[in-house]
């Protein structure tokens, strides 16, 4: 696969199932695999591999939390790009292609993030800024998601871990997520 979509989960089977359904129904040109990292769930999530075809399941022996679960998924990934995706997200058609295209258009990009929209249609963020004071701010938070100011690629200080893509070779080079945090 060109992209490995890694979904760390703990319980919340219905959210995870809906997230995977949106991945399947949202058409993309790039090939991808889906890796669900089960962080010791106690609900129907433990059977997700039997409910959904073509999903690889990695099970943690102990509860590791989001960060280490994401790292476990990356260890199992085969794609040229890694995508970390929260299980409470619903993706749209072409979203993977757009993320991958960031690296083609901007070869020095380190990470690409998605524009996130709340269920009520308002913008959650289009990237993030860290001000001189050290305070973070989500670009466009609670504004109109269709506003042209938030509908283009931009350089930002951070992107949300809810939906981010990184080149797998860069992931290896930097050693993944910092375990100190």
């Amino acid at each position: 696969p060109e992209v490995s979509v890694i979904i760390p989960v703990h319980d919340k089977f219905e959210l995870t199932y809906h997230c995977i359904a949106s991945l399947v129904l949202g058409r993309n040109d790039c090939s991808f695999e889906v890796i669900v990292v089960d962080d010791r769930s106690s609900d129907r999530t433990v059977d997700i591999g039997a409910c959904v075809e073509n999903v690889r399941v990695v099970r943690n022996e102990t509860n590791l939390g989001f960060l280490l679960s994401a790292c476990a998924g990356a260890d199992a990934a085969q794609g040229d790009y890694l995508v970390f995706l929260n299980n409470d997200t619903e993706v749209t058609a072409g979203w993977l292609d757009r993320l991958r295209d960031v690296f083609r258009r901007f070869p020095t990009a380190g990470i690409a993030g998605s524009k996130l929209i709340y269920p009520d249609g308002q913008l959650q963020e289009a990237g993030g800024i860290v001000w001189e004071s050290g305070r973070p701010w989500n670009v466009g938070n609670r504004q109109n998601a269709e506003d042209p100011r938030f509908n283009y690629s931009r350089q930002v200080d951070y992107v949300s871990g809810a939906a981010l893509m990184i080149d797998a070779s860069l992931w290896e080079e930097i050693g993944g997520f910092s375990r100190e945090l």
Side-chain angles (χ1 to χ4, degrees), residues 50-119:
C51 301
V52 182
E53 292 181 12
N54 300 319
V55 170
R56 293 178 46 213
V57 179
V58 173
R59 295 201 193 288
N60 296 337
E61 291 183 23
T62 60
N63 188 291
L64 300 177
F66 176 84
L67 182 107
L68 294 178
S69 291
C71 292
D75 290 343
Q78 298 173 354
D80 298 327
Y81 298 95
L82 307 177
V83 170
F84 298 95
L85 186 67
N86 281 6
N87 68 331
D88 64 349
T89 37
E90 179 180 337
V91 300
T92 57
W95 77 286
L96 273 178
D97 297 332
R98 300 294 96 56
L99 284 174
R100 181 206 53 207
D101 290 347
V102 168
F103 296 96
R104 292 180 178 171
R105 291 176 47 218
F106 306 101
T108 61
I111 292 178
S114 296
K115 181 171 86 169
L116 302 176
I117 302 172
Y118 287 115

Side-chain angles (χ1 to χ4, degrees), residues 2 5 9 14 18 43-44 48 54 73 85 90 101 104-105 129 140 148 155 169:
E2 189 173 358
V5 179
V9 301
E14 292 79 12
H18 186 83
D43 68 354
R44 291 178 53 203
I48 199 155
N54 300 319
L85 186 67
E90 179 180 337
D101 290 347
R104 292 180 178 171
R105 291 176 47 218
I129 296 172
Q155 184 173 341
S169 61

Side-chain angles (χ1 to χ4, degrees), residues 26-180:
R27 185 188 165 305
N28 286 280
D29 292 329
C30 64
S31 61
F32 65 94
E33 66 176 341
V34 177
I35 301 170
V36 172
V37 183
D38 179 13
D39 198 20
R40 299 289 297 162
S41 294
S42 59
D43 68 354
R44 291 178 53 203
T45 302
V46 298
D47 297 321
I48 199 155
C51 301
V52 182
E53 292 181 12
N54 300 319
V55 170
R56 293 178 46 213
V57 179
V58 173
R59 295 201 193 288
N60 296 337
E61 291 183 23
T62 60
N63 188 291
L64 300 177
F66 176 84
L67 182 107
L68 294 178
S69 291
C71 292
D75 290 343
Q78 298 173 354
D80 298 327
Y81 298 95
L82 307 177
V83 170
F84 298 95
L85 186 67
N86 281 6
N87 68 331
D88 64 349
T89 37
E90 179 180 337
V91 300
T92 57
W95 77 286
L96 273 178
D97 297 332
R98 300 294 96 56
L99 284 174
R100 181 206 53 207
D101 290 347
V102 168
F103 296 96
R104 292 180 178 171
R105 291 176 47 218
F106 306 101
T108 61
I111 292 178
S114 296
K115 181 171 86 169
L116 302 176
I117 302 172
Y118 287 115
D120 66 4
Q122 290 185 346
L123 184 62
Q124 178 177 333
E125 72 171 75
I129 296 172
V130 178
W131 299 110
E132 288 180 8
S133 66
R135 294 182 153 239
W137 178 70
N138 291 343
V139 175
N141 185 262
R142 291 286 178 195
Q143 297 195 35
N144 180 350
E146 298 304 317
D147 187 320
R149 293 179 297 160
F150 311 118
N151 288 322
Y152 64 91
S153 298
R154 73 183 82 242
Q155 184 173 341
V156 295
D157 296 326
Y158 68 90
V159 299
S160 173
L164 70 84
M165 178 183 278
I166 184 170
D167 186 298
S169 61
L170 177 59
W171 173 266
E172 289 298 320
E173 181 182 325
I174 63 173
F177 292 132
S178 171
R179 269 82 168 163
E180 294 121 22

